[in-house]
Amino acid sequence: MVKRQAPKPLELLELMQFKKPDLNGRRRRLNSALTIEDLRRIAKRRTPKAAFDYTDGAAEGELSLRRARTAFRDVEFNPSVLRDVANVDTSSTVLGGPMAMPFAIAPTGFTRLMQTEGETAGAGAAAAAGIPFTLSTLGTTTIEEVAKVNPNGRNWFQLYVMKDRSISYGLVERAAKAGFDTLHFTVDTPVAGARLRDKRNGFSIPPQLTVGTIINAIPRPWWWIDFLTTPKLEFASLATTGGTVGELLDSAMDPTINFEDLKVIREMWPGKIVIKGVQNLEDSKTFADLGVDGIVLSNHGGRQLDRAPIPFHLLPAVAREVGKDLEIGVDTGIMNGADIVASVALGANFTMIGRAYLYGLMAGGREGVDRTIAILSDEIIRTMKLLGAHSLEELNPSHVTQLKRYVSTSFIEAAPDRA
């Protein structure tokens, strides 16, 4: 039998330690977010449906995005024990410059639509964290403004080659003049993917007021106040701003883009050049033979070709074949620092975060982006310590087992001869 006694007042007082309430709603909201998925839920509550769905959605049935996230969730780690991991080093040198963490902020279009601080919040947070920030051709902040926000950090520029080549050439020259050190030549967008959420929402740039959008805005007045009391939402680098996302992309992109365009841009660009949107091993080898500085294995966040290859699944073979010849990045589906650790272990030199960054932006502006970076950084450090890895260089394929739900079958050898 347990001996019972009356509660002692002094012992009760010791238990009654009430936390001082935080009257700052934004800080309270962000501190409650422990994962990127928490930030996503906050972002969904605070952002109109059309803007949130533009960020959250992907092409057609959104299979590519779901499969990419599933691939990361199906990672099994193989830790080493009895290692002194009191301190771990997450820094590296990538594309000729330092990175404090093995991830960069990816290029995103229409960013001020998600939250009015837009790219300035991303660039400022990246500068504070010591990671690169990538500005999109379809950004809503100019090249020069980003350079002002992040004057001493690393700025990268993502380039679409447009039908009017002079526009693309002008952007390249401006980015070089502003001190951007790396150009991401994007190759997976000859035409726009079918982003069905945007079509169903009637999403356009700038957003149009309809009965539906007005009803959806009622519980989110802060977003509309920001939208209506800040500078007009438009592309910072392009003259054309009206229409649906698909219409805008199709009017700007050029399906005739080819290797000659890469040659021209490469001759213009004085810094490092990376090919973004590589989706098979053969193309990886081709770009390695061309002597580019790096590639990013990416299916555009699942926003272009649905059922596209999973970048994380491509990574081991690509790293094995061309990892000594160029630097390798990977994106699509990253929602946890463990995803980043697994990517580095399988051969990535760096990763890129798009949606994770935008969820933080929508949840709380610049502070929300800081929170995204802090969550991922904590997860990276904790995962490395639990794996017994002191540095990124110690991560290797033996740390990762991929549990596969999908069985890949190549039909190339089995295909009939059509000659």
Side-chain angles (χ1 to χ4, degrees), residues 36 39 55 72 99 101-108 122 125-126 129 131-134 156 184 276 296 301 329-337 339-340 343 350-361 368-377 379-380:
I36 300 302
L39 288 174
T55 299
F72 283 121
M99 288 180 65
M101 284 283 166
F103 63 93
I105 291 182
T108 59
I131 62 174
F133 173 81
T134 315
W156 296 350
H184 286 247
K276 185 176 186 297
V296 177
V330 65
D331 72 13
T332 305
I334 293 173
M335 290 284 283
N336 191 290
D339 304 339
I340 296 169
S343 298
F350 65 99
T351 62
M352 303 187 77
I353 58 163
R355 287 183 180 89
Y357 143 59
L358 294 178
Y359 293 145
L361 180 67
V369 182
D370 289 334
R371 185 64 183 145
T372 289
I373 294 172
I375 288 171
L376 292 174
S377 298
E379 291 169 342
I380 289 169

Side-chain angles (χ1 to χ4, degrees), residues 27 54 70 75 88 112 154 156 170 204 296 328 350 356 391 412:
R27 185 169 58 227
Y54 170 74
T70 295
V75 163
V88 298
R112 284 188 54 238
R154 300 192 65 190
W156 296 350
S204 64
V296 177
I328 302 169
F350 65 99
S391 66
I412 295 175

Side-chain angles (χ1 to χ4, degrees), residues 148-220:
K148 287 180 181 178
V149 172
N150 188 15
N152 301 313
R154 300 192 65 190
N155 292 315
W156 296 350
F157 186 72
Q158 176 265 335
L159 180 72
Y160 287 122
V161 175
M162 302 182 195
K163 292 176 182 176
D164 184 347
R165 296 294 196 271
S166 65
I167 297 175
S168 298
Y169 299 160
L171 293 175
V172 170
E173 291 170 351
R174 285 171 57 190
K177 185 178 179 180
F180 283 52
D181 65 74
T182 299
L183 185 76
H184 286 247
F185 184 94
T186 301
V187 295
D188 58 5
T189 319
V191 297
R195 301 172 191 179
L196 302 186
R197 285 204 220 183
D198 296 342
K199 291 183 179 180
R200 290 174 179 134
N201 289 330
F203 177 58
S204 64
I205 302 292
Q208 302 298 307
L209 287 174
T210 65
V211 173
T213 56
I214 291 171
I215 292 173
N216 188 250
I218 291 172
R220 302 171 179 84

Side-chain angles (χ1 to χ4, degrees), residues 275-288:
I275 310 302
K276 185 176 186 297
V278 179
Q279 298 177 69
N280 64 55
L281 178 58
E282 289 308 310
D283 282 346
S284 301
K285 292 178 179 179
T286 296
F287 288 120

